[in-house]
């Protein structure tokens, strides 16, 4: 079994080789931190999908902190970049880590466009909470496709947790209502609600999600305690525009970034932090049930540069 850190490290291998190897190569053979080198570093940061603003600010920090005339300063380039990136993530994520489950049930609504990994993430999340001794129930409020509920039911079975479902085409809000209701009467610690993500009727989708949110809130004042937006890391910057729309409709509280294992765009976490001002809560590094991890800035930055 791989440890968590090993999993993130191997998950981030493509990003790391593009970013770190690229910068290392550029440094080798240089005698000082000149504009040419800074430009290459900026290019590598942007290629990792960090966003132009973040990349430019990191370059400014390098210029500020390192003396371009001193050869001994060159090896410090990585330390400065690492520290700057870490501070940015910590500012957003704080030291507190994941939100506490203050209320029972703690209701989590999961949103995002089709195919980003919502249903898979919910299965993994259920497993995480269950392994932590929590009682978990899932709600199959993606009633748009019959297969979607079936897929969630398979994950419920794998994670050995309860599920509430209805017939295909049922009102998704009613499934959310029934899920919170069942969570309350069965004394569940956590209720996680899956939703649809079809894009071609986007405004209807947003209305549907708003309605689900309203119904949850009415059934349990204070809920949903979290609205997690799932973003596919392989789509990089394109995900950010989507994120804004979802945020506007249902007040997202945090991001789950999936498919980091298949991409060189792992720098997207910094762009999310910078442009959306939302914390990354979990990262997905594979398709298995234990391939979801709470996001920890330090571990992430270490894994990126290790
Ligand atoms: P949904 O439409 O948002 O519910 O997405 P699904 O949960 O159905 O996932 C879509 C595809 O992405 C599936 O084939 C998943 O196995 C895959 N997937 C989800 N998360 C990850 C991940 O972290 N890594 C990889 N490699 N694949 C993932
Ligand atoms: P509105 O769209 O915000 O006006 O919300 P509604 O009051 O119409 O309720 C939205 C959905 O939540 C309904 O279509 C029902 O499916 C569901 N709902 C609301 N109240 C109940 C209830 O008491 N029991 C069940 N099972 N579902 C409910
Ligand atoms: Mg799904």
């Amino acid at each position: 079994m791989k440890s968590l850190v090993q999993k993130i490290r191997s998950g981030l291998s493509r990003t790391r080789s593009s970013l770190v190897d690229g910068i290392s190569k550029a440094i080798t053979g240089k005698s000082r931190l000149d504009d040419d080198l800074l430009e290459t570093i900026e290019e590598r940061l942007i290629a990792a999908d960090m966003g132009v603003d973040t990349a430019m600010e990191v370059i400014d920090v390098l210029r500020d902190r390192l003396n371009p005339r001193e050869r001994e300063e060159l090896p410090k380039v990585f330390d400065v970049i690492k520290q700057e990136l870490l501070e940015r993530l910590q500012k957003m994520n704080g030291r507190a880590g994941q939100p506490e489950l203050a209320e029972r049930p703690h209701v989590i609504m999961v949103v995002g466009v089709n195919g980003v990994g919502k249903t898979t993430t919910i299965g993994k999340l259920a497993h995480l909470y269950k392994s932590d001794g929590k009682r978990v129930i899932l709600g199959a409020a993606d009633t748009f496709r019959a297969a979607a509920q079936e897929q969630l039911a398979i994950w419920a079975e794998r994670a050995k947790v309860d599920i509430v479902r209805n017939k295909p085409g049922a009102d998704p809000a009613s499934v959310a209502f029934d899920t919170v209701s069942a969570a309350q009467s069965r004394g569940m610690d956590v209720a996680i609600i899956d939703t649809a993500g079809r894009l071609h009727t986007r405004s209807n989708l947003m209305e549907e999600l708003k309605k689900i949110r309203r119904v949850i809130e009415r059934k349990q004042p204070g809920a949903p305690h979290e609205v997690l937006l799932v973003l596919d890391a392989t789509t990089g910057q394109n995900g950010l525009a989507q994120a804004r729309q979802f945020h506007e409709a249902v007040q997202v509280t945090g991001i789950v970034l999936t498919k980091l294992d298949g991409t060189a765009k792992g720098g997207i976490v910094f762009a999310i932090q910078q442009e959306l001002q939302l914390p990354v809560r979990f990262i997905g590094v594979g398709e298995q049930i234990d391939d979801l991890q709470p996001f920890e800035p330090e571990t992430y930055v270490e894994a990126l540069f290790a």
Side-chain angles (χ1 to χ4, degrees), residues 108-111 117-127 136-166 172 175-176 178-179 190-196 230 289:
I108 304 173
M109 179 176 169
V110 178
V111 302
K118 289 183 296 300
T119 305
T120 307
T121 293
I122 291 169
K124 294 168 175 174
L125 257 186
H127 173 73
V136 182
I137 190 166
L138 307 184
D142 179 359
T143 58
F144 193 64
R145 295 173 300 134
Q149 298 182 71
E150 193 49 46
Q151 191 193 350
L152 192 70
I154 292 169
W155 277 109
E157 205 164 290
R158 269 184 211 149
K160 302 189 179 61
V161 300
D162 287 6
I163 180 170
V164 170
R165 53 192 291 192
N166 203 324
V175 178
D178 292 344
T179 307
V190 184
I192 313 174
I193 295 169
D194 197 9
T195 62
V230 181
I289 199 162

Side-chain angles (χ1 to χ4, degrees), residues 206-218:
M206 294 306 164
E207 287 311 311
E208 177 179 309
L209 295 177
K210 283 189 207 169
K211 178 171 166 182
I212 292 173
R213 199 196 149 95
R214 269 201 312 275
V215 168
I216 292 173
E217 210 164 5
R218 209 181 298 150

Side-chain angles (χ1 to χ4, degrees), residues 19 24 87 96 131 148 170 172 200 271 273 297:
L19 180 67
S24 291
E87 277 171 18
S131 309
H200 52 279
Q273 182 273 334

